[in-house]
């Protein structure tokens, strides 16, 4: 079993930055792909970013490319997403999620994830 706990959300002005953290506990962290999803008002849960088990490869949804950076430190059982140049449309609850195994074509889809954090609210004011 894996437990995921997010932190770092808050209120920020458009153009500002936030860094979200997710700490995992339970099973061996290194064997799990880690990802961030978000849920905005009136929308379905959306893939944001994922990072490979070694931390060498990342996937991003088009809307955050060039602005968000996902990273991980397996020794700390932690994954982050650095969010820069924030826009009002980034307002959402952000969830950390994971599944056992590598990046693959299904990484973008929420139904492939086995464990989820409780979420942290990000609000971008304009």
């Amino acid at each position: 079993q894996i437990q995921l706990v997010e932190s770092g959300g808050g209120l920020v002005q458009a153009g500002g930055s936030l860094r979200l953290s997710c700490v995992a506990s339970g099973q061996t962290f290194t064997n799990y792909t880690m990802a961030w999803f978000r849920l905005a008002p009136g929308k379905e849960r959306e893939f944001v970013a994922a990072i490979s088990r070694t931390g060498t490869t990342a996937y991003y949804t088009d809307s955050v490319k060039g602005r968000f950076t996902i990273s991980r430190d397996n020794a700390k059982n932690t994954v982050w997403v650095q969010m820069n140049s924030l826009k009002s449309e980034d307002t959402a609850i952000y969830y950390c999620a994971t599944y056992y195994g590598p990046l693959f074509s299904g990484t973008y889809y929420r139904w492939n994830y086995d464990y989820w954090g409780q979420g942290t609210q990000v609000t971008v004011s304009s």
Side-chain angles (χ1 to χ4, degrees):
Q1 188 178 11
I2 298 290
Q3 294 82 43
L4 304 173
V5 179
E6 304 99 330
S7 62
L11 175 65
V12 64
Q13 293 185 12
S17 298
L18 284 173
R19 189 181 74 160
L20 307 182
S21 299
C22 173
V23 179
S25 62
Q27 300 302 111
T28 304
F29 186 72
T30 54
N31 291 325
Y32 289 80
T33 293
M34 302 295 297
W36 292 93
F37 286 75
R38 64 188 181 186
L39 179 63
K43 296 184 178 180
E44 294 186 348
R45 185 168 39 180
E46 176 191 25
F47 173 81
V48 176
I51 189 165
S52 66
R53 294 172 294 179
T54 61
T56 58
T57 305
Y59 294 169
Y60 299 95
T61 192
D62 286 345
S63 63
V64 309
K65 287 180 180 177
R67 299 189 299 120
F68 290 13
T69 303
I70 188 170
S71 59
R72 70 190 293 165
D73 185 338
N74 290 342
K76 297 180 179 179
N77 287 353
T78 301
V79 62
W80 299 268
V81 57
Q82 177 68 45
M83 306 187 296
N84 298 327
S85 301
L86 283 162
K87 306 173 181 178
S88 60
E89 52 262 45
D90 295 317
T91 295
I93 303 171
Y94 283 73
Y95 296 92
C96 181
T98 189
Y99 62 84
Y100 184 86
L103 294 173
F104 76 118
S105 61
T107 294
Y108 299 94
Y109 307 111
R110 60 186 181 271
W111 51 84
N112 289 309
Y113 288 80
D114 299 313
Y115 302 101
W116 296 83
Q118 83 287 352
T120 186
Q121 177 70 48
V122 172
T123 302
V124 183
S125 65
S126 60

